Amino acid sequence: LASDSDSGMVLAAAAWRRLGGAALGGAAALALQQGGGGAHCRTDRRPLPLLSRLDSNKHPDDEKVLGVDPSGKSVVLRTLKNGAMRVRVMDWGATITSVRVPDKDGVVGEVALGFDELAPYVDGRSPYFGCVAGRYANRIQGGRFQLDGQGYTLVTNNGPNALHGGLVGFDKRHWVCQAASDTSVTLALLSEDGEEGYPGNLLAKVTYSLPTEGELRMEYEAVCDKPTVVNLTNHSYWNLQDGGARSVKQHEVQLAARLYTPVDETSIPTGEVRAVGGAMDLTSPTPIGKGLAQADGGMGYDHNYVLTSPPRQDGLRACGRVYEPTSGRCMTVTTDQPGVQFYTAGYLDGSLEGRGGAKYHKFAGFCLETQHFPDSPNHPHFPSTVLRRGEVYRTTTAYKFDASPSPPTGPIA
């Protein structure tokens, strides 16, 4: 793969195939020019490392092959380390399979839901545990949207709607390792024009890193060759007590969000942006179990909250904080995204056997999926998710873990 900051970037189909990627529909090459700009994107003239050195294929020493994907390719699991913290990432779905951090007594334990083996991730049983959701995370109504006067029809996989990119979203794709070390890994994926109905060839990458002990940082980038919509997030389910063996009802959640987007009976935003109130008001520390019966008819939370805190100097803003009193573990989330999907795993039913034989029952975990709003392509007043040729999609979210016998006080971040 070659790059040139003046003439743009060229992705050769033959080079991509050598990396195990799919052919570009018979095309000899895909030119991706830099330049332009937009509200949804950050643009600069530097060549993207994703495109310029996609074939570096460096791995840390601590890795193992979990098995093979449906096409027969080996799926590699890599372990990131910083101090006592351990994060495991596999290249199928760019999935975080495990996060281990100390509790208030210094005992290191699991805080993410997941499986010991590969099979549930590749055979469709996993409800997006730990993956990158895309090309468009969350829902698009009816699997349809208009862009520049042209209509697009997507694959629907959630009742009448498209969810997390469709039947074969980014969670069900084999990502290519671009670079890795003891504390970080970068994975890349080519999504071709027309996949699941989305327009344009899209080249995406995610970097998971542990820049300090206790911090998990997620950085996403993407470029395209024609206008498309992009919304990437990580779909980890968290349980700060024991990784999912028990309910999260006693976890205390606080969100930096005074607004949210109400939804219809199929979980599509109505278009209204409403002030929080009652069970939807999580602006102060609140036990998750307190509002479950009132949220979504007893199914719990599965709502997009509008983040209302100002950005810090590093461009990130406070998103949320969750404290678990038994372990003393606390997770603080910051992001540059405008929203976060707070989901309390109301659709888990005990049929999934997770890590160590644990049965994942309803409310066994929670998600804080930083994002642009669901169904944004069909709501012009929502923040735009349009990515155009010449623009670079970039977004960052950080999860910081610590532990204390006492709950945190003061501002979220």
mmCIF file of all heavy atoms in Angstrom, residues 289-326:
data_model
loop_
_atom_site.group_PDB
_atom_site.id
_atom_site.type_symbol
_atom_site.label_atom_id
_atom_site.label_comp_id
_atom_site.label_asym_id
_atom_site.label_seq_id
_atom_site.Cartn_x
_atom_site.Cartn_y
_atom_site.Cartn_z
ATOM 1 N N GLY A 289 -30.739 -0.283 39.335
ATOM 2 C CA GLY A 289 -31.989 -0.978 39.584
ATOM 3 C C GLY A 289 -33.158 -0.081 39.926
ATOM 4 O O GLY A 289 -34.323 -0.489 39.794
ATOM 5 N N LYS A 290 -32.884 1.139 40.339
ATOM 6 C CA LYS A 290 -33.957 2.035 40.783
ATOM 7 C C LYS A 290 -34.942 2.366 39.677
ATOM 8 O O LYS A 290 -36.158 2.438 39.904
ATOM 9 C CB LYS A 290 -33.348 3.317 41.345
ATOM 10 C CG LYS A 290 -34.370 4.317 41.864
ATOM 11 C CD LYS A 290 -33.696 5.549 42.442
ATOM 12 C CE LYS A 290 -34.723 6.563 42.942
ATOM 13 N NZ LYS A 290 -34.059 7.772 43.503
ATOM 14 N N GLY A 291 -34.450 2.563 38.454
ATOM 15 C CA GLY A 291 -35.326 3.023 37.384
ATOM 16 C C GLY A 291 -35.679 1.973 36.349
ATOM 17 O O GLY A 291 -36.357 2.281 35.368
ATOM 18 N N LEU A 292 -35.237 0.720 36.545
ATOM 19 C CA LEU A 292 -35.432 -0.296 35.505
ATOM 20 C C LEU A 292 -36.904 -0.543 35.202
ATOM 21 O O LEU A 292 -37.283 -0.729 34.044
ATOM 22 C CB LEU A 292 -34.760 -1.603 35.911
ATOM 23 C CG LEU A 292 -33.227 -1.607 35.903
ATOM 24 C CD1 LEU A 292 -32.688 -2.954 36.375
ATOM 25 C CD2 LEU A 292 -32.692 -1.302 34.513
ATOM 26 N N ALA A 293 -37.732 -0.575 36.224
ATOM 27 C CA ALA A 293 -39.148 -0.890 36.006
ATOM 28 C C ALA A 293 -39.859 0.207 35.225
ATOM 29 O O ALA A 293 -40.828 -0.058 34.504
ATOM 30 C CB ALA A 293 -39.844 -1.111 37.346
ATOM 31 N N GLN A 294 -39.376 1.448 35.361
ATOM 32 C CA GLN A 294 -40.009 2.567 34.664
ATOM 33 C C GLN A 294 -39.430 2.804 33.273
ATOM 34 O O GLN A 294 -40.065 3.456 32.439
ATOM 35 C CB GLN A 294 -39.865 3.861 35.488
ATOM 36 C CG GLN A 294 -40.722 3.899 36.744
ATOM 37 C CD GLN A 294 -40.150 3.024 37.853
ATOM 38 O OE1 GLN A 294 -38.949 3.057 38.095
ATOM 39 N NE2 GLN A 294 -40.997 2.239 38.498
ATOM 40 N N ALA A 295 -38.245 2.289 33.026
ATOM 41 C CA ALA A 295 -37.574 2.542 31.746
ATOM 42 C C ALA A 295 -37.983 1.500 30.718
ATOM 43 O O ALA A 295 -37.822 0.293 30.945
ATOM 44 C CB ALA A 295 -36.055 2.533 31.923
ATOM 45 N N ASP A 296 -38.536 1.953 29.614
ATOM 46 C CA ASP A 296 -38.875 1.089 28.482
ATOM 47 C C ASP A 296 -39.775 -0.073 28.894
ATOM 48 O O ASP A 296 -39.548 -1.229 28.517
ATOM 49 C CB ASP A 296 -37.598 0.557 27.819
ATOM 50 C CG ASP A 296 -37.850 0.035 26.398
ATOM 51 O OD1 ASP A 296 -38.873 0.421 25.805
ATOM 52 O OD2 ASP A 296 -37.027 -0.750 25.902
ATOM 53 N N GLY A 297 -40.802 0.226 29.675
ATOM 54 C CA GLY A 297 -41.786 -0.787 30.035
ATOM 55 C C GLY A 297 -41.221 -1.960 30.798
ATOM 56 O O GLY A 297 -41.710 -3.090 30.653
ATOM 57 N N GLY A 298 -40.203 -1.739 31.608
ATOM 58 C CA GLY A 298 -39.616 -2.808 32.393
ATOM 59 C C GLY A 298 -38.448 -3.509 31.731
ATOM 60 O O GLY A 298 -37.815 -4.360 32.352
ATOM 61 N N MET A 299 -38.158 -3.174 30.478
ATOM 62 C CA MET A 299 -37.013 -3.776 29.785
ATOM 63 C C MET A 299 -35.706 -3.102 30.177
ATOM 64 O O MET A 299 -34.631 -3.565 29.822
ATOM 65 C CB MET A 299 -37.203 -3.711 28.271
ATOM 66 C CG MET A 299 -38.269 -4.659 27.752
ATOM 67 S SD MET A 299 -37.942 -6.397 28.160
ATOM 68 C CE MET A 299 -36.464 -6.692 27.195
ATOM 69 N N GLY A 300 -35.805 -1.995 30.915
ATOM 70 C CA GLY A 300 -34.608 -1.285 31.332
ATOM 71 C C GLY A 300 -34.208 -0.212 30.344
ATOM 72 O O GLY A 300 -34.968 0.152 29.445
ATOM 73 N N TYR A 301 -33.000 0.288 30.504
ATOM 74 C CA TYR A 301 -32.522 1.402 29.685
ATOM 75 C C TYR A 301 -31.954 0.895 28.363
ATOM 76 O O TYR A 301 -31.214 -0.082 28.315
ATOM 77 C CB TYR A 301 -31.444 2.178 30.428
ATOM 78 C CG TYR A 301 -31.931 2.865 31.683
ATOM 79 C CD1 TYR A 301 -31.835 2.240 32.923
ATOM 80 C CD2 TYR A 301 -32.492 4.141 31.625
ATOM 81 C CE1 TYR A 301 -32.273 2.869 34.083
ATOM 82 C CE2 TYR A 301 -32.943 4.772 32.782
ATOM 83 C CZ TYR A 301 -32.834 4.127 34.005
ATOM 84 O OH TYR A 301 -33.285 4.747 35.147
ATOM 85 N N ASP A 302 -32.308 1.580 27.298
ATOM 86 C CA ASP A 302 -31.703 1.385 25.979
ATOM 87 C C ASP A 302 -31.950 2.675 25.213
ATOM 88 O O ASP A 302 -32.690 2.703 24.234
ATOM 89 C CB ASP A 302 -32.311 0.178 25.264
ATOM 90 C CG ASP A 302 -31.531 -0.212 24.005
ATOM 91 O OD1 ASP A 302 -30.431 0.353 23.795
ATOM 92 O OD2 ASP A 302 -32.010 -1.062 23.239
ATOM 93 N N HIS A 303 -31.318 3.751 25.694
ATOM 94 C CA HIS A 303 -31.646 5.092 25.237
ATOM 95 C C HIS A 303 -30.384 5.891 24.937
ATOM 96 O O HIS A 303 -29.348 5.717 25.589
ATOM 97 C CB HIS A 303 -32.454 5.841 26.295
ATOM 98 C CG HIS A 303 -33.773 5.203 26.617
ATOM 99 N ND1 HIS A 303 -33.891 4.150 27.493
ATOM 100 C CD2 HIS A 303 -35.029 5.476 26.168
ATOM 101 C CE1 HIS A 303 -35.158 3.784 27.584
ATOM 102 N NE2 HIS A 303 -35.866 4.569 26.789
ATOM 103 N N ASN A 304 -30.508 6.781 23.969
ATOM 104 C CA ASN A 304 -29.431 7.702 23.631
ATOM 105 C C ASN A 304 -29.547 8.954 24.487
ATOM 106 O O ASN A 304 -30.563 9.656 24.458
ATOM 107 C CB ASN A 304 -29.508 8.089 22.154
ATOM 108 C CG ASN A 304 -28.534 9.195 21.799
ATOM 109 O OD1 ASN A 304 -27.322 9.016 21.886
ATOM 110 N ND2 ASN A 304 -29.050 10.361 21.428
ATOM 111 N N TYR A 305 -28.506 9.210 25.255
ATOM 112 C CA TYR A 305 -28.428 10.430 26.055
ATOM 113 C C TYR A 305 -27.570 11.458 25.333
ATOM 114 O O TYR A 305 -26.540 11.118 24.732
ATOM 115 C CB TYR A 305 -27.846 10.130 27.431
ATOM 116 C CG TYR A 305 -28.847 9.543 28.400
ATOM 117 C CD1 TYR A 305 -29.168 8.190 28.364
ATOM 118 C CD2 TYR A 305 -29.493 10.351 29.342
ATOM 119 C CE1 TYR A 305 -30.092 7.649 29.252
ATOM 120 C CE2 TYR A 305 -30.418 9.828 30.231
ATOM 121 C CZ TYR A 305 -30.713 8.472 30.181
ATOM 122 O OH TYR A 305 -31.644 7.947 31.052
ATOM 123 N N VAL A 306 -27.992 12.713 25.404
ATOM 124 C CA VAL A 306 -27.285 13.819 24.755
ATOM 125 C C VAL A 306 -26.321 14.416 25.767
ATOM 126 O O VAL A 306 -26.743 14.952 26.808
ATOM 127 C CB VAL A 306 -28.270 14.890 24.258
ATOM 128 C CG1 VAL A 306 -27.516 16.032 23.576
ATOM 129 C CG2 VAL A 306 -29.295 14.272 23.305
ATOM 130 N N LEU A 307 -25.036 14.329 25.490
ATOM 131 C CA LEU A 307 -24.029 14.816 26.434
ATOM 132 C C LEU A 307 -24.018 16.335 26.436
ATOM 133 O O LEU A 307 -23.961 16.973 25.383
ATOM 134 C CB LEU A 307 -22.664 14.250 26.074
ATOM 135 C CG LEU A 307 -22.589 12.718 26.099
ATOM 136 C CD1 LEU A 307 -21.208 12.234 25.696
ATOM 137 C CD2 LEU A 307 -22.987 12.169 27.465
ATOM 138 N N THR A 308 -24.069 16.911 27.631
ATOM 139 C CA THR A 308 -24.229 18.364 27.745
ATOM 140 C C THR A 308 -23.074 19.038 28.478
ATOM 141 O O THR A 308 -23.127 20.234 28.737
ATOM 142 C CB THR A 308 -25.549 18.686 28.466
ATOM 143 O OG1 THR A 308 -25.640 17.932 29.689
ATOM 144 C CG2 THR A 308 -26.742 18.346 27.589
ATOM 145 N N SER A 309 -22.020 18.293 28.814
ATOM 146 C CA SER A 309 -20.869 18.911 29.458
ATOM 147 C C SER A 309 -19.951 19.517 28.407
ATOM 148 O O SER A 309 -19.858 19.011 27.277
ATOM 149 C CB SER A 309 -20.098 17.883 30.285
ATOM 150 O OG SER A 309 -19.627 16.841 29.454
ATOM 151 N N PRO A 310 -19.226 20.597 28.725
ATOM 152 C CA PRO A 310 -18.334 21.219 27.742
ATOM 153 C C PRO A 310 -17.079 20.393 27.521
ATOM 154 O O PRO A 310 -16.647 19.648 28.413
ATOM 155 C CB PRO A 310 -17.989 22.564 28.390
ATOM 156 C CG PRO A 310 -18.120 22.312 29.857
ATOM 157 C CD PRO A 310 -19.240 21.323 30.007
ATOM 158 N N PRO A 311 -16.473 20.485 26.344
ATOM 159 C CA PRO A 311 -15.222 19.753 26.088
ATOM 160 C C PRO A 311 -14.085 20.294 26.947
ATOM 161 O O PRO A 311 -14.036 21.483 27.278
ATOM 162 C CB PRO A 311 -14.945 20.012 24.599
ATOM 163 C CG PRO A 311 -16.197 20.587 24.041
ATOM 164 C CD PRO A 311 -16.927 21.232 25.169
ATOM 165 N N ARG A 312 -13.158 19.401 27.296
ATOM 166 C CA ARG A 312 -11.948 19.806 28.002
ATOM 167 C C ARG A 312 -10.910 20.268 26.984
ATOM 168 O O ARG A 312 -11.152 20.258 25.780
ATOM 169 C CB ARG A 312 -11.399 18.633 28.818
ATOM 170 C CG ARG A 312 -12.427 17.983 29.744
ATOM 171 C CD ARG A 312 -11.845 16.811 30.491
ATOM 172 N NE ARG A 312 -11.168 15.838 29.623
ATOM 173 C CZ ARG A 312 -10.810 14.630 29.997
ATOM 174 N NH1 ARG A 312 -11.055 14.223 31.230
ATOM 175 N NH2 ARG A 312 -10.209 13.807 29.170
ATOM 176 N N GLN A 313 -9.735 20.619 27.468
ATOM 177 C CA GLN A 313 -8.680 21.078 26.557
ATOM 178 C C GLN A 313 -8.243 19.993 25.587
ATOM 179 O O GLN A 313 -7.812 20.282 24.466
ATOM 180 C CB GLN A 313 -7.468 21.573 27.359
ATOM 181 C CG GLN A 313 -7.700 22.924 28.033
ATOM 182 C CD GLN A 313 -6.428 23.479 28.655
ATOM 183 O OE1 GLN A 313 -5.447 22.752 28.845
ATOM 184 N NE2 GLN A 313 -6.440 24.763 28.960
ATOM 185 N N ASP A 314 -8.349 18.731 25.985
ATOM 186 C CA ASP A 314 -7.947 17.628 25.095
ATOM 187 C C ASP A 314 -9.042 17.251 24.110
ATOM 188 O O ASP A 314 -8.886 16.307 23.335
ATOM 189 C CB ASP A 314 -7.519 16.408 25.902
ATOM 190 C CG ASP A 314 -8.647 15.810 26.740
ATOM 191 O OD1 ASP A 314 -9.775 16.348 26.712
ATOM 192 O OD2 ASP A 314 -8.402 14.801 27.440
ATOM 193 N N GLY A 315 -10.170 17.972 24.110
ATOM 194 C CA GLY A 315 -11.252 17.715 23.173
ATOM 195 C C GLY A 315 -12.284 16.721 23.665
ATOM 196 O O GLY A 315 -13.333 16.554 23.036
ATOM 197 N N LEU A 316 -12.003 16.037 24.774
ATOM 198 C CA LEU A 316 -12.957 15.088 25.330
ATOM 199 C C LEU A 316 -13.845 15.766 26.363
ATOM 200 O O LEU A 316 -13.442 16.734 27.006
ATOM 201 C CB LEU A 316 -12.235 13.901 25.971
ATOM 202 C CG LEU A 316 -11.261 13.129 25.081
ATOM 203 C CD1 LEU A 316 -10.727 11.910 25.827
ATOM 204 C CD2 LEU A 316 -11.903 12.725 23.770
ATOM 205 N N ARG A 317 -15.054 15.258 26.513
ATOM 206 C CA ARG A 317 -15.979 15.779 27.514
ATOM 207 C C ARG A 317 -16.413 14.658 28.446
ATOM 208 O O ARG A 317 -16.334 13.468 28.109
ATOM 209 C CB ARG A 317 -17.219 16.386 26.846
ATOM 210 C CG ARG A 317 -17.987 15.409 25.956
ATOM 211 C CD ARG A 317 -19.398 15.903 25.645
ATOM 212 N NE ARG A 317 -19.418 17.195 25.033
ATOM 213 C CZ ARG A 317 -19.401 17.437 23.720
ATOM 214 N NH1 ARG A 317 -19.351 16.414 22.878
ATOM 215 N NH2 ARG A 317 -19.444 18.653 23.254
ATOM 216 N N ALA A 318 -16.878 15.031 29.622
ATOM 217 C CA ALA A 318 -17.406 14.046 30.551
ATOM 218 C C ALA A 318 -18.601 13.348 29.929
ATOM 219 O O ALA A 318 -19.463 13.983 29.329
ATOM 220 C CB ALA A 318 -17.803 14.727 31.858
ATOM 221 N N CYS A 319 -18.649 12.041 30.085
ATOM 222 C CA CYS A 319 -19.748 11.245 29.566
ATOM 223 C C CYS A 319 -20.515 10.576 30.703
ATOM 224 O O CYS A 319 -21.716 10.787 30.859
ATOM 225 C CB CYS A 319 -19.215 10.199 28.595
ATOM 226 S SG CYS A 319 -20.450 9.003 28.026
ATOM 227 N N GLY A 320 -19.833 9.753 31.491
ATOM 228 C CA GLY A 320 -20.521 9.050 32.559
ATOM 229 C C GLY A 320 -19.555 8.442 33.552
ATOM 230 O O GLY A 320 -18.351 8.332 33.302
ATOM 231 N N ARG A 321 -20.111 8.052 34.690
ATOM 232 C CA ARG A 321 -19.317 7.397 35.726
ATOM 233 C C ARG A 321 -20.196 6.340 36.391
ATOM 234 O O ARG A 321 -21.376 6.583 36.687
ATOM 235 C CB ARG A 321 -18.830 8.418 36.750
ATOM 236 C CG ARG A 321 -17.940 7.847 37.834
ATOM 237 C CD ARG A 321 -17.245 8.955 38.613
ATOM 238 N NE ARG A 321 -18.179 9.842 39.283
ATOM 239 C CZ ARG A 321 -17.870 11.047 39.755
ATOM 240 N NH1 ARG A 321 -16.639 11.530 39.583
ATOM 241 N NH2 ARG A 321 -18.769 11.786 40.357
ATOM 242 N N VAL A 322 -19.627 5.154 36.621
ATOM 243 C CA VAL A 322 -20.350 4.059 37.252
ATOM 244 C C VAL A 322 -19.493 3.522 38.398
ATOM 245 O O VAL A 322 -18.303 3.253 38.224
ATOM 246 C CB VAL A 322 -20.663 2.925 36.249
ATOM 247 C CG1 VAL A 322 -21.465 1.824 36.937
ATOM 248 C CG2 VAL A 322 -21.435 3.471 35.042
ATOM 249 N N TYR A 323 -20.134 3.360 39.569
ATOM 250 C CA TYR A 323 -19.441 2.858 40.766
ATOM 251 C C TYR A 323 -20.157 1.600 41.253
ATOM 252 O O TYR A 323 -21.389 1.547 41.297
ATOM 253 C CB TYR A 323 -19.452 3.914 41.862
ATOM 254 C CG TYR A 323 -18.844 3.459 43.171
ATOM 255 C CD1 TYR A 323 -17.471 3.310 43.313
ATOM 256 C CD2 TYR A 323 -19.659 3.190 44.283
ATOM 257 C CE1 TYR A 323 -16.910 2.896 44.518
ATOM 258 C CE2 TYR A 323 -19.106 2.782 45.493
ATOM 259 C CZ TYR A 323 -17.727 2.637 45.594
ATOM 260 O OH TYR A 323 -17.173 2.223 46.791
ATOM 261 N N GLU A 324 -19.366 0.584 41.617
ATOM 262 C CA GLU A 324 -19.922 -0.663 42.137
ATOM 263 C C GLU A 324 -19.460 -0.805 43.596
ATOM 264 O O GLU A 324 -18.268 -0.941 43.862
ATOM 265 C CB GLU A 324 -19.444 -1.846 41.285
ATOM 266 C CG GLU A 324 -20.271 -3.105 41.459
ATOM 267 C CD GLU A 324 -20.035 -3.782 42.787
ATOM 268 O OE1 GLU A 324 -18.859 -4.066 43.093
ATOM 269 O OE2 GLU A 324 -21.021 -4.009 43.527
ATOM 270 N N PRO A 325 -20.369 -0.754 44.572
ATOM 271 C CA PRO A 325 -19.962 -0.648 45.975
ATOM 272 C C PRO A 325 -19.291 -1.887 46.557
ATOM 273 O O PRO A 325 -18.457 -1.759 47.466
ATOM 274 C CB PRO A 325 -21.286 -0.346 46.699
ATOM 275 C CG PRO A 325 -22.375 -0.772 45.776
ATOM 276 C CD PRO A 325 -21.827 -0.610 44.394
ATOM 277 N N THR A 326 -19.632 -3.093 46.115
ATOM 278 C CA THR A 326 -19.029 -4.294 46.697
ATOM 279 C C THR A 326 -17.536 -4.383 46.385
ATOM 280 O O THR A 326 -16.708 -4.631 47.260
ATOM 281 C CB THR A 326 -19.742 -5.559 46.190
ATOM 282 O OG1 THR A 326 -21.132 -5.489 46.529
ATOM 283 C CG2 THR A 326 -19.128 -6.804 46.808
#
